[in-house]
Amino acid sequence: MDSSVSTIDDLLLRFEQLNEIGAALSSERDINRLLEKILIAAKQITNADGGTLYLLDEDGTHLKFEILHSNSLNITMGGTSGNPIPFQPLPLAQPDGSPNESMVAVYCALHKCTINISDAYAAENFDFSGTRSFDSRTGYRSKSFLTVPMKNHESELIGVLQLINALDQNMGDVIAFSSESQRLVESLASQASIAVSNRQLTLQQEKLFESFIDMINFAIDDKSAYTGGHCQRVPTLTMMLAEAVANAEDGPFASFRMTDQDRYELKIAGLLHDCGKITTPVHIVDKATKLETIYDRIDLVDTRFEVLKRDAEIAMLKARLALRIPTDPLTERSLESGFKQQLDALEQDRAFLQHANTGSETMEEKDRQAVRDIGTKRKWTNPNGDTVDFLTANEMDNLTIRSGTLGKAERDIINHHIVVTIKMLESLPWVKHLKRVPEYAGGHHERMDGKGYPRGLTRDEMSVQARIMGIADIFEALTASDRPYKPGKTLSESLQIMKKFRINGHIDPDLFDIFVQSKVYLRYAHQFLSPEQIDMVNEASILQSAA
């Protein structure tokens, strides 16, 4: 066959490869895979034995080794290989501040020009002593070099692509990089630079966006130390469960998969799921006891007990004084005994109200009635001189809260945070791959039976991601040990409660099964819970049906 035809066919093939590479680079989101694809593509279209890709560091003072490949030496470093590159970054300037032009990659970077060297050992203008040392250690012979600058759309240097030892396709001998290969690599470097710049810009925007999220969560954390950890733990647990669901090979979620964009979208939703709490009054978020507002009003109740104790003592002393002439020891002892009984009764009532003031899972009706009896049957004289009920109606309402420390009005205020969250998130101009963040973040208080809030959605009306976040939110709340109103529950206690939620239509039963079977709860526990909370769990019992 005519060699010119062969050459044309070869060029056409390499141009076709270049086009395919350009399309592949534009769709790659992972920066390490992107850089790896660039170097591999450059080696393929030039038939090079090895190569290195450098990126300019953030300070613009050094070239950092990012990817290093050598076919004949079977070396793969950097990128997705997991093998670190042991070489130090290349400084663009000497210690005295002068340009470091003796190194070919640095010269290429400083002058933004391509350098094509047929034999490094014969090159007079560059220092290849490091290359010679490497060759002597490995038995390699570094000969031909093609070093190409990578520039963004504003002609700013972002890195350098260097290829080593072009190989003759027929004989396998090391040859110089041809002018055609140089032009192809320069074209590839141009496309690659745009792809890398776009990805770096996207990463910078994502970093900035996540910094704004961190700022919101910091504001919530600074306002209430009891919610900051929640804002960090729920996204982590959400992603743990989401990965377990995506890995399911059978069952109702066998077809559920997530791309990197899907993962990022869910991560952002997790970080923002409680952003509306920034508007929730701190005295409600941090309400550790039933009578707490901006302070714990149990102190006022204690003061009234002290008033009643003094009143009882004064009454007793007055009665004793009336007996002084004539004296009546028997009656005095009776008065003192009655006084002591009154004090004992007051102390019992005081201790009971102090206990009632703490939140509990369920307050029994007899205890609630006891609070009302103390509140209305005991009287005290207020500073105005009026004899009134010992407890106000508001105090009795709070002290008889059946579960937890929040009254209905306060729960409504707390619940309103999710409405605020949805409004805040829906007001943002989300890009396409983050469009579902408001739905994911806004659905974690919905229930499968439609009895949740704020929209009363049913299971079929919710995304898998929102249902996942609902489970994560509940489990984190049950096990959290930084709440002001309760200690963190053990794994067995938490999963027993969630089993009930599974049965009564609160959470997705299929997702909960994966949560338990895949031991997501245990991986989370080892990362976030104290050792005393990590007890034995009977998974078979937890997964039993309602029957």
Side-chain angles (χ1 to χ4, degrees):
M1 180 183 292
D2 190 330
S3 61
S4 63
V5 175
S6 177
T7 302
I8 293 173
D9 290 342
D10 178 61
L11 280 174
L12 288 174
L13 177 62
R14 292 201 284 173
F15 273 124
E16 186 176 335
Q17 286 179 317
L18 187 63
N19 288 332
E20 292 175 356
I21 291 164
L25 295 182
S26 65
S27 62
E28 180 57 68
R29 286 179 50 83
D30 184 271
I31 189 70
N32 286 321
R33 289 200 298 264
L34 175 60
L35 297 175
E36 209 160 51
K37 283 182 177 180
I38 293 169
L39 182 58
I40 291 172
K43 286 172 55 187
Q44 286 177 345
I45 63 175
T46 60
N47 200 34
D49 180 60
T52 304
L53 193 150
Y54 308 85
L55 287 184
L56 192 66
D57 66 6
E58 292 183 0
D59 297 331
T61 59
H62 290 75
L63 287 177
K64 299 183 300 178
F65 287 85
E66 295 290 343
I67 312 284
L68 190 152
H69 284 186
S70 174
N71 293 346
S72 59
L73 293 176
N74 194 29
I75 293 175
T76 302
M77 297 179 183
T80 62
S81 70
N83 301 318
I85 300 178
F87 309 128
Q88 293 297 315
L90 308 181
L92 299 190
Q94 302 281 8
D96 62 3
S98 61
N100 185 19
E101 295 187 335
S102 63
M103 306 184 76
V104 63
V106 175
Y107 188 95
C108 170
L110 291 172
H111 295 276
K112 301 178 184 177
C113 65
T114 298
I115 302 170
N116 193 338
I117 297 174
S118 59
D119 189 345
Y121 286 16
E124 298 179 354
N125 299 326
F126 299 105
D127 179 8
F128 281 100
S129 59
T131 300
R132 288 174 179 267
S133 175
F134 176 82
D135 288 354
S136 66
R137 293 195 310 270
T138 61
Y140 193 68
R141 172 64 163 93
S142 301
K143 189 174 182 181
S144 57
F145 278 73
L146 179 61
T147 310
V148 180
M150 296 173 62
K151 297 176 288 185
N152 64 18
H153 61 284
E154 295 179 347
S155 294
E156 297 171 336
L157 184 88
I158 66 168
V160 169
L161 178 60
Q162 187 174 74
L163 301 171
I164 302 175
N165 286 358
L167 301 177
D168 181 272
Q169 291 189 356
N170 297 318
M171 304 299 294
D173 298 331
V174 176
I175 59 175
F177 288 92
S178 67
S179 58
E180 291 83 3
S181 291
Q182 177 177 324
R183 286 194 293 272
L184 285 171
V185 173
E186 287 172 340
S187 178
L188 171 63
S190 177
Q191 294 182 62
S193 297
I194 294 173
V196 172
S197 294
N198 288 341
R199 189 64 198 129
Q200 288 178 329
L201 179 60
T202 300
L203 289 173
Q204 290 170 359
Q205 291 174 334
E206 289 175 355
K207 184 177 180 181
L208 177 63
F209 179 55
E210 290 181 37
S211 296
F212 274 113
I213 295 173
D214 290 340
M215 183 175 66
I216 292 172
N217 287 340
F218 173 80
I220 296 172
D221 186 13
D222 190 61
K223 185 173 74 167
S224 168
Y226 305 114
T227 56
H230 175 79
C231 291
Q232 298 302 317
R233 291 189 293 265
V234 168
T236 301
L237 183 54
T238 295
M239 297 312 298
M240 285 182 177
L241 179 53
E243 291 296 343
V245 176
N247 291 332
E249 296 180 354
D250 50 32
F253 298 106
S255 62
F256 179 81
R257 295 292 180 268
M258 291 191 301
T259 65
D260 288 344
Q261 287 188 336
D262 294 335
R263 289 180 176 87
Y264 186 71
E265 185 175 37
L266 184 55
K267 171 191 170 184
I268 294 300
L271 289 170
L272 287 169
H273 82 285
D274 267 352
C275 66
K277 280 187 178 176
I278 199 168
T279 66
T280 305
V282 67
H283 70 273
I284 294 179
V285 174
D286 288 358
K287 192 181 180 191
T289 63
K290 295 178 180 180
L291 289 180
E292 184 174 352
T293 51
I294 57 174
Y295 64 97
D296 193 346
R297 291 175 292 162
I298 196 68
D299 293 337
L300 295 179
V301 176
D302 282 344
T303 301
R304 290 177 211 153
F305 276 112
E306 290 300 320
V307 171
L308 291 182
K309 286 161 66 176
R310 292 191 191 114
D311 287 347
E313 184 177 19
I314 291 170
M316 182 271 294
L317 292 174
K318 283 182 177 180
R320 287 183 62 184
L321 188 60
L323 296 173
R324 283 294 137 213
I325 302 175
T327 60
D328 186 346
L330 183 62
T331 303
E332 285 194 21
R333 285 196 297 273
S334 175
L335 289 171
E336 289 177 354
S337 176
F339 170 62
K340 185 176 183 302
Q341 289 177 5
Q342 289 183 62
L343 289 187
D344 288 344
L346 287 170
E347 286 298 335
Q348 289 177 6
D349 285 351
R350 189 211 302 239
F352 175 76
L353 291 186
Q354 287 176 335
H355 177 72
N357 190 41
T358 61
S360 61
E361 288 292 326
T362 303
M363 187 178 191
E364 296 184 10
E365 180 55 36
K366 65 180 181 60
D367 291 332
R368 300 175 75 221
Q369 185 57 49
V371 171
R372 298 187 193 101
D373 290 343
I374 294 172
T376 56
K377 292 180 180 179
R378 286 199 179 279
K379 308 293 180 181
W380 77 296
T381 302
N382 66 21
N384 296 326
D386 299 325
T387 300
V388 295
D389 289 345
F390 185 70
L391 297 175
T392 67
N394 179 269
E395 289 168 344
M396 282 190 285
D397 285 345
N398 277 271
L399 286 170
T400 54
I401 290 171
R402 191 180 297 275
S403 176
T405 62
L406 299 178
K408 183 181 183 305
E410 292 162 331
R411 286 193 179 279
D412 289 343
I413 293 173
I414 286 285
N415 292 349
H416 185 65
H417 83 274
I418 193 64
V419 176
V420 176
T421 294
I422 293 172
K423 287 182 178 179
M424 288 173 64
L425 297 182
E426 287 184 344
S427 69
L428 297 177
W430 296 98
V431 295
K432 183 179 179 181
H433 66 277
L434 295 176
K435 284 286 187 184
R436 293 170 294 186
V437 165
E439 189 261 319
Y440 295 167
H444 67 278
H445 285 301
E446 301 289 354
R447 292 175 45 132
M448 303 305 99
D449 56 9
K451 296 179 182 178
Y453 63 91
R455 291 171 171 164
L457 302 177
T458 63
R459 182 178 189 266
D460 293 339
E461 295 173 313
M462 298 171 63
S463 65
V464 173
Q465 287 86 340
R467 286 179 264 156
I468 287 173
M469 197 174 298
I471 289 177
D473 188 72
I474 292 172
F475 187 76
E476 190 284 332
L478 290 172
T479 56
S481 57
D482 57 2
R483 298 297 194 271
Y485 47 83
K486 71 168 189 66
K489 295 186 180 299
T490 64
L491 287 180
S492 60
E493 290 172 332
S494 302
L495 291 175
Q496 281 292 342
I497 292 171
M498 294 190 73
K499 174 185 177 181
K500 295 177 183 177
F501 286 175
R502 174 186 185 273
I503 293 171
N504 67 19
H506 194 137
I507 60 177
D508 187 303
D510 298 320
L511 288 175
F512 180 66
D513 288 351
I514 294 177
F515 182 75
V516 177
Q517 292 167 350
S518 299
K519 299 188 185 300
V520 173
Y521 73 91
L522 191 58
R523 293 200 301 276
Y524 173 84
H526 286 307
Q527 187 172 346
F528 292 105
L529 303 191
S530 59
E532 56 269 22
Q533 289 180 267
I534 305 176
D535 59 353
M536 293 296 296
V537 172
N538 186 338
E539 293 184 359
S541 174
I542 295 296
L543 294 171
Q544 284 178 349
S545 65

